[in-house]
């Protein structure tokens, strides 16, 4: 059993029997591989096949006219495009996700702040309580609602510790924190406490075997080691720290913890941490918490990246101006650039939605975790390799007032920080390396079609 994707292509008024053969039937990749391909139908219509993890190899999907680059709800019954046992995917936002997104939009319309000054308003709005259990005054929702919030905030390049508090803190702790720890952390988050996580060690992003040690001594645990690139430590109440013995939840003011501020692309506070026998209660060392922390961190980083690119698309289309004296060729070139940005944005959106949807499912089987990790690998690589490159395309557009009214640097600097946290593309992975090498090679080839709008003739995936 596996995920089954149906491609939906907007073919306008073209009769189905007149579509080019490359669009009428598209071979999809074997299960567990990344398949990203741009197919030029005409100068005006571009079809895009996104990440596919399907049952078996060599199946053919027949596109169905509908919304441009979205997912068709596949039937559970076997027919010409589906197999019995396929899982239908529905990424349509439900009422709770819509409500969260609308609340964020309403807040941003009322308040012009896009930095830490907005944090008290987020607290007062109740958005930080979305994922908290109801017994702690929360709404009892989950990853998909948090992702909807983070995406909308990123659409305006809002720079607040929502990602670290919810994506790096609350969501992982919901799965692994004992009641005694939850009673301390979750009510504090509802009141505005900031959480963060030390995801990286020197030269080792999302290390599955951290060199930071946790030594148990009776009812206490001593932490020794070094972490780098940890955001918002100066505002955090607790820090989630992966160690060789599990996930440690460390008070940010604990004795034995030293911090040194390091530069970041956005100018937001970021630190290197040095643990010298910093002590925590034994109940705050969670033996199985590291994989969940990394999965939720990757998924929510993807949601932020999705929002950043969504915002860039909005800016590019709203501020494109046809200036006097500009040739028709240059106007068409600018239009093609925007089309490339839109394709990359829709690709990232679908990959992020897929990864978040899979992670949100209540399934603890090894097979499901494998699917989730494969999807997160693809998402992380796409963010690290394509996000900044796509934003850079905007510098080649004919735009008016975009540099002053909506500074692109706010989007680009956030994108740069996300890519750095992920370790970039040179590391080959972000902590799920054993399954990622083949996916990375595939994405390298396929990203050329996304960046340039060219068709990739060979559909085979290595």
């Amino acid at each position: 059993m596996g995920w089954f994707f149906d491609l939906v292509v907007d073919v306008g008024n073209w009769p189905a029997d007149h579509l080019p053969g490359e669009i009428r039937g598209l071979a999809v990749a074997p299960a567990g591989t990344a398949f990203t391909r741009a197919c030029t139908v005409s100068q005006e219509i571009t079809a895009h096949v996104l990440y596919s993890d399907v049952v078996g190899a060599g199946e053919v999907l027949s596109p169905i006219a509908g919304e441009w680059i979205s997912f068709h709800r596949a039937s559970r019954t076997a027919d010409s495009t589906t197999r019995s046992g396929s899982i239908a995917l529905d990424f349509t936002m439900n009422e709770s996700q819509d409500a969260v997104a609308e609340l964020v939009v309403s807040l941003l319309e009322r308040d012009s702040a896009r930095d830490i000054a907005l944090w008290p308003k987020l607290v007062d709005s109740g958005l930080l309580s979305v994922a908290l259990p109801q017994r702690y005054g929360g709404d009892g929702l989950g990853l998909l609602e948090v992702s909807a919030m983070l995406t909308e905030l990123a659409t305006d390049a809002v720079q607040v510790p929502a990602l670290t508090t919810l994506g790096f803190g609350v969501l992982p702790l919901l799965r692994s924190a004992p009641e005694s720890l939850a009673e301390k952390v979750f009510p504090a988050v509802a009141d505005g406490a900031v959480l963060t996580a030390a995801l990286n060690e020197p030269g080792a992003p999302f290390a599955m075997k951290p060199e930071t040690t946790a030594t148990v001594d009776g009812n206490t645990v001593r932490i020794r080691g070094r972490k780098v690139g940890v955001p918002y430590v100066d505002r955090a109440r607790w820090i989630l720290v992966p160690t060789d013995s599990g996930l440690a939840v460390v008070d940010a003011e604990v004795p034995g913890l030293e911090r040194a501020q390091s530069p970041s692309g956005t100018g937001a506070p970021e630190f290197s941490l040095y643990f010298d026998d910093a002590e925590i209660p034994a109940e705050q060392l969670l033996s199985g918490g590291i994989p969940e922390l990394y999965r939720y961190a990757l998924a929510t980083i993807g949601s932020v990246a999705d929002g950043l690119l969504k915002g860039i698309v909005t800016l590019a289309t709203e501020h494109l101006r046809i200036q006097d004296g500009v040739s028709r060729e240059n106007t068409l070139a600018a239009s093609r650039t925007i089309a490339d940005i839109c394709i990359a944005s829709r690709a990232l959106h679908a990959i992020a939605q897929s990864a978040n949807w899979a992670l949100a499912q209540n399934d603890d089987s090894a097979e499901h975790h494998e699917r989730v990790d494969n999807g997160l690998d693809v998402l992380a690589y796409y963010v690290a390799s394509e996000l900044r490159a796509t934003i850079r395309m905007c510098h080649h557009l004919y735009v008016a007032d975009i540099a002053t009214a909506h500074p692109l640097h706010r989007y680009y600097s956030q994108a740069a920080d996300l890519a750095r946290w992920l370790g970039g593309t040179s590391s080959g992975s972000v902590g799920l390396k054993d399954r990622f090498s083949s996916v990375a090679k595939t994405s390298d080839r396929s990203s050329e079609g996304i960046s340039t709008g060219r068709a990739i003739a060979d559909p085979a995936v290595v």
Side-chain angles (χ1 to χ4, degrees):
M1 181 177 293
W3 309 127
F4 194 97
F5 290 75
D6 251 353
L7 176 66
V8 179
V9 180
D10 183 358
V11 295
N13 296 321
W14 285 25
D17 56 352
H18 289 172
L19 288 176
E22 65 187 44
I23 297 302
R24 286 201 303 271
L26 290 166
V28 295
T33 64
F35 183 74
T36 312
R37 177 185 180 216
C39 302
T40 301
V41 182
S42 71
Q43 293 181 349
E44 304 298 330
I45 302 174
T46 300
H48 196 73
V49 184
L50 302 174
Y51 175 73
S52 299
D53 181 7
V54 300
V55 182
E59 295 187 337
V60 175
L61 301 183
S62 299
I64 300 171
E67 181 184 356
W68 180 53
I69 310 177
S70 63
F71 289 107
H72 173 65
R73 300 182 189 181
S75 171
R76 284 184 179 272
T77 61
D79 57 26
S80 61
T81 60
T82 63
R83 243 187 216 191
S84 179
S86 306
I87 298 179
L89 299 184
D90 181 5
F91 297 150
T92 305
M93 293 177 65
N94 59 29
E95 291 184 3
S96 59
Q97 295 165 47
D98 277 331
V100 170
E102 290 173 4
L103 184 55
V104 174
V105 172
S106 176
L107 176 63
L108 296 180
E109 288 176 347
R110 297 193 309 268
D111 198 299
S112 61
R114 296 296 182 266
D115 54 16
I116 196 64
L118 186 66
W119 187 247
K121 305 293 180 61
L122 279 172
V123 176
D124 294 340
S125 71
L127 284 167
L128 297 186
S129 301
V130 161
L132 299 179
Q134 293 180 351
R135 62 183 180 277
Y136 300 118
D139 298 309
L141 301 176
L143 170 62
L144 298 181
E145 288 75 18
V146 170
S147 293
M149 179 198 315
L150 295 175
T151 298
E152 289 301 329
L153 288 171
T155 300
D156 268 23
V158 174
Q159 187 67 38
V160 293
L163 171 62
T164 65
T165 298
L166 300 176
F168 300 177
V170 170
L171 291 176
L173 291 178
L174 285 172
R175 296 290 300 269
S176 56
E179 193 66 27
S180 57
L181 180 59
E183 289 176 350
K184 291 192 294 186
V185 174
F186 293 153
V189 169
D191 291 335
V194 173
L195 306 181
T196 190
L199 299 173
N200 298 335
E201 294 185 345
F206 287 70
M208 295 301 289
K209 296 180 179 180
E211 294 186 0
T212 301
T213 62
T215 304
V216 179
D217 183 10
N219 293 326
T220 63
V221 177
R222 294 192 299 273
I223 311 296
R224 292 183 65 88
R226 180 186 175 193
K227 300 290 186 178
V228 296
V230 188
Y232 291 106
V233 173
D234 59 334
R235 294 182 175 273
R237 183 84 62 86
W238 289 280
I239 309 167
L240 278 65
V241 182
T243 74
D244 62 347
S245 300
L247 182 64
V249 182
V250 181
D251 191 305
E253 301 298 331
V254 67
L257 171 59
E258 297 183 6
R259 62 195 188 198
Q261 189 161 2
S262 55
S264 66
T266 60
E270 192 171 297
F271 296 83
S272 294
L273 302 182
Y274 303 86
F275 297 89
D276 186 10
D277 286 334
E279 293 188 356
I280 63 171
E283 65 183 15
Q284 292 180 204
L285 180 64
L286 315 177
S287 59
I290 295 178
E292 292 303 315
L293 168 62
Y294 287 169
R295 289 186 179 112
Y296 282 114
L298 291 174
T300 50
I301 284 174
S303 296
V304 172
D306 181 19
L308 291 174
L309 214 46
K310 176 184 173 184
I312 285 294
V313 169
T314 301
L315 295 182
T317 53
E318 285 183 353
H319 291 270
L320 182 66
R321 297 291 184 263
I322 306 302
Q323 302 175 4
D324 292 338
V326 176
S327 67
R328 180 176 182 275
E329 288 75 14
N330 285 339
T331 301
L332 290 175
S335 298
R336 292 190 191 100
T337 300
I338 289 183
D340 285 341
I341 294 171
C342 288
I343 290 172
S345 176
R346 291 297 293 163
L348 176 56
H349 176 70
I351 295 169
Q353 289 282 82
S354 170
N356 276 270
W357 185 91
L359 182 56
Q361 304 311 301
N362 187 20
D363 186 345
D364 289 326
S365 67
E367 179 185 1
H368 178 71
H369 286 316
E370 183 76 13
R371 281 197 298 266
V372 168
D373 291 345
N374 284 336
L376 292 172
D377 284 337
V378 174
L379 174 60
Y381 189 83
Y382 198 93
V383 171
S385 64
E386 296 295 330
L387 182 59
R388 289 175 296 172
T390 303
I391 296 176
R392 280 197 296 266
M393 293 182 190
C394 290
H395 295 294
H396 303 293
L397 297 177
Y398 291 95
V399 296
D401 300 326
I402 192 170
T404 55
H406 300 281
L408 285 177
H409 70 83
R410 292 197 293 118
Y411 292 84
Y412 187 84
S413 59
Q414 285 196 38
D417 282 346
L418 295 182
R420 179 168 49 82
W421 292 348
L422 293 172
T425 57
S426 60
S427 65
S429 76
V430 285
L432 303 169
K433 180 161 61 177
D434 291 341
R435 283 186 294 272
F436 188 54
S437 57
S438 62
V439 175
K441 293 177 183 177
T442 298
S443 298
D444 269 336
R445 292 176 51 201
S446 303
S447 63
E448 291 182 15
I450 297 171
S451 298
T452 65
R454 297 193 305 267
I456 299 176
D458 184 3
V461 177
V462 178

